[in-house]
Amino acid sequence: MALTYQETKLVKETLPALRQHGEHISTVFYKTMLRDHPELQNYFNTVNMHTGKQPRALTRLILAFASNIVNISELTPKLERVAQKHASLNIQPEQYEIVGKYLLRAFSAVLGPSMTPDVKMAWTKAYWVMAKMLTGREAHIYREFESWKGWRKFMIYNKKNETVEGNIVSFILKPVDGKPLPTFMPGQYITVRITVPGMKYAQLRQYSLSDAPSYDHYRITVKRDQGSNWDYVGNREDTVTMSSAASSASDSSLGSVQPCRAGVVSNSLIDDFHEGDTIELTHPSGSFYLNPKMDNSMPLVLISAGVCVAPLLSMLNTVVEKRINRPVSWIQASRHDAPFQAHIENLARKHPNMRTKFFKSRLSDSDVLSYTSSFDNDFLSLTAEDLYLSNGSAEYYICGPEKFMMQASNHLARHGVKPERVQFEIFSVGSFEMKLDD
């Protein structure tokens, strides 16, 4: 279903108008789709529906795809991340039919008379080029999941505070069916599905696995949300999907969408779920990971902030357990207690090729979106040895708030580290992801 030259031209000619009215497109799209298909709300992050993050991200993705329609390879990393997230959410091909129908209807509402039959056909083909790429990749991922299809029940075997404040909690999860668990790549995540009292629809959130793979349990680490507008990446309260719902700025445009406080799932897990309770998970997924089979001697630099330590701790524990002979530099920022600090320092004492750097930052739940030079100064205090800057083969894995990751990326770039040696865990929806690959 490749586009002709003329169809590609028609798509690109309408891009400026669609970009200009991107917010309106998202509002019309989601409002009408959820009105007619309320069952889809079982997939949606109700917080991000009200912040407007997901509609903007979805619009950007589609328009970015259209902009690169003749050079789709430029978008491969973005599409891989989306496909992995879809697989974690158990998104099915038939849901693309629904999304496409309402998306094109929203385009028509914006373009008006400019949405001629030829333009509509061109956009239909463009959408399905992207949809086929995603569903094809997702089908391959589902085959890799083998016998684990959809949701699987897990029991909370152990629940442990990881900080003195008790605001970061780890959950050891064991499968109710008692069957061995598949391995995963350290750094990947699972999706949790729970029922929250007072909410009509199931609530889904993605959480990084925070330990090395085990045949009988998984571990996730969750941070309490104090009511900020931003969630740590480790909590994965930000998830963009092709069928993710979102709203305009006003609740009145949402129809039947329920209002929701920030951190509803993370807080409910911490407050309402106890040892012996059950939750549902999907198979581990994700494109941010360390491949333990690639045994090499290149230095590994792991940089995190707050609960975003989770996927990097999975990497570190795997390196140690598998006795992978790589120099490791562990750099961790935190506002108060650093979760897992005692464990990490104990590992460093036993492994002479591991160095650690813990430091306090002024990042907090309320000011993380507006911090200025204070954290920049913290990061600048890191030495060339901490970052292995003299080694041109060192690999960097970074996980934290968007601005934390951007600051780290810029700092490394200024010191000559090439972008291909830096990996980010991206659970933001929109601008940061686009900036990284532009």
Side-chain angles (χ1 to χ4, degrees):
M1 191 184 279
L3 277 72
T4 65
Y5 172 79
Q6 185 60 30
E7 288 169 334
T8 300
K9 187 169 180 287
L10 289 173
V11 165
K12 291 196 171 185
E13 286 174 351
T14 56
L15 281 174
L18 295 174
R19 285 197 182 100
Q20 182 181 355
H21 299 285
E23 196 81 20
H24 181 66
I25 289 170
S26 302
T27 301
V28 172
F29 167 38
Y30 286 115
K31 181 180 179 181
T32 55
M33 184 174 70
L34 290 179
R35 180 193 63 203
D36 297 345
H37 295 275
E39 75 280 0
L40 293 180
Q41 293 193 53
N42 286 303
Y43 291 91
F44 301 152
N45 182 323
T46 51
V47 176
N48 289 334
M49 289 161 64
H50 283 263
T51 63
K53 292 180 180 179
Q54 288 177 340
R56 289 188 291 272
L58 176 56
T59 301
R60 287 191 188 103
L61 178 64
I62 293 169
L63 298 182
F65 182 87
S67 298
N68 291 274
I69 196 73
V70 295
N71 191 18
I72 295 174
S73 62
E74 293 292 323
L75 289 175
T76 299
K78 295 186 182 73
L79 295 179
E80 176 64 16
R81 288 192 286 269
V82 172
Q84 290 287 341
K85 294 172 187 177
H86 283 187
S88 183
L89 292 165
N90 199 33
I91 298 297
Q92 299 300 315
E94 56 267 23
Q95 291 164 329
Y96 283 86
E97 296 275 357
I98 298 172
V99 170
K101 172 184 174 181
Y102 289 92
L103 180 65
L104 291 170
R105 184 181 294 180
F107 281 8
S108 295
V110 167
L111 293 176
S114 297
M115 188 68 148
T116 64
D118 287 344
V119 172
K120 184 175 181 180
M121 176 59 69
W123 268 109
T124 299
K125 290 177 71 172
Y127 171 78
W128 279 107
V129 168
M130 182 173 68
K132 292 295 184 183
M133 289 179 66
L134 287 169
T135 55
R137 176 60 182 137
E138 289 155 23
H140 180 76
I141 295 171
Y142 287 137
R143 287 194 294 272
E144 292 177 340
F145 290 176
E146 297 180 345
S147 61
W148 184 344
K149 307 296 183 185
W151 299 97
R152 187 170 173 183
K153 288 188 177 180
F154 280 69
M155 180 189 72
I156 299 173
Y157 178 76
N158 181 263
K159 186 177 175 182
K160 177 186 177 185
N161 288 337
E162 302 294 357
T163 59
V164 173
E165 298 93 339
N167 63 333
I168 296 179
V169 180
S170 287
F171 295 78
I172 300 293
L173 307 171
K174 291 193 172 185
V176 171
D177 60 23
K179 296 179 181 178
L181 293 172
T183 190
F184 59 88
M185 291 293 190
Q188 290 188 311
Y189 54 82
I190 47 83
T191 295
V192 171
R193 181 168 71 177
I194 64 172
T195 299
V196 176
M199 302 196 72
K200 183 177 180 180
Y201 298 99
Q203 296 297 304
L204 282 62
R205 297 294 187 273
Q206 294 172 321
Y207 294 91
S208 293
L209 294 158
S210 61
D211 202 356
S214 168
Y215 74 92
D216 70 343
H217 73 272
Y218 291 148
R219 184 177 72 181
I220 60 173
T221 301
V222 179
K223 181 182 181 298
R224 178 183 297 283
D225 190 294
Q226 302 292 352
S228 67
N229 292 322
W230 176 88
D231 292 292
Y232 278 102
V233 176
N235 273 1
R236 305 187 180 281
E237 296 274 9
D238 261 349
T239 303
V240 59
T241 72
M242 285 297 297
S243 59
S244 293
S247 71
S248 68
S250 65
D251 292 346
S252 61
S253 68
L254 293 172
S256 62
V257 175
Q258 290 176 282
C260 180
R261 68 188 184 276
V264 61
V265 175
S266 296
N267 291 353
S268 183
L269 283 171
I270 292 173
D271 294 334
D272 305 326
F273 285 79
H274 309 286
E275 293 176 1
D277 290 342
T278 59
I279 60 177
E280 293 179 293
L281 309 184
T282 54
H283 193 287
S285 301
S287 56
F288 174 80
Y289 57 80
L290 176 71
N291 188 346
K293 294 181 180 179
M294 294 182 64
D295 190 0
N296 58 59
S297 59
M298 295 186 294
L300 183 63
V301 182
L302 305 175
I303 306 173
S304 67
V307 76
C308 303
V309 65
L312 302 189
L313 183 60
S314 176
M315 296 179 187
L316 178 64
N317 286 351
T318 301
V319 167
V320 171
E321 285 191 12
K322 291 186 174 294
R323 299 182 180 180
I324 298 173
N325 187 28
R326 298 185 65 173
V328 176
S329 182
W330 179 271
I331 299 168
Q332 184 176 351
S334 60
R335 186 166 187 257
H336 296 297
D337 288 344
F340 303 105
Q341 182 171 351
H343 167 73
I344 293 160
E345 289 178 334
N346 184 52
L347 291 180
R349 284 192 291 271
K350 296 178 180 178
H351 298 83
N353 64 344
M354 177 181 170
R355 61 190 302 137
T356 62
K357 178 78 171 184
F358 295 88
F359 58 89
K360 303 295 183 183
S361 79
R362 294 183 176 87
L363 294 175
S364 69
D365 292 340
S366 60
D367 67 10
V368 71
L369 290 177
S370 61
Y371 79 87
T372 54
S373 60
S374 59
F375 183 74
D376 186 30
N377 291 335
D378 289 333
F379 198 79
L380 290 174
S381 70
L382 298 174
T383 67
E385 290 74 20
D386 290 331
L387 296 169
Y388 281 97
L389 293 177
S390 62
N391 190 308
S393 62
E395 295 180 341
Y396 301 83
Y397 291 81
I398 305 174
C399 190
E402 288 187 19
K403 291 187 178 181
F404 174 94
M405 293 192 290
M406 191 63 72
Q407 187 72 56
S409 173
N410 292 339
H411 183 79
L412 292 172
R414 285 194 297 269
H415 287 83
V417 176
K418 296 180 179 179
E420 56 267 28
R421 291 198 282 131
V422 183
Q423 302 295 323
F424 299 88
E425 175 54 300
I426 303 172
F427 262 74
S428 58
V429 286
S431 59
F432 179 58
E433 182 166 348
M434 295 299 171
K435 287 176 183 176
L436 285 177
D437 293 326
D438 283 348

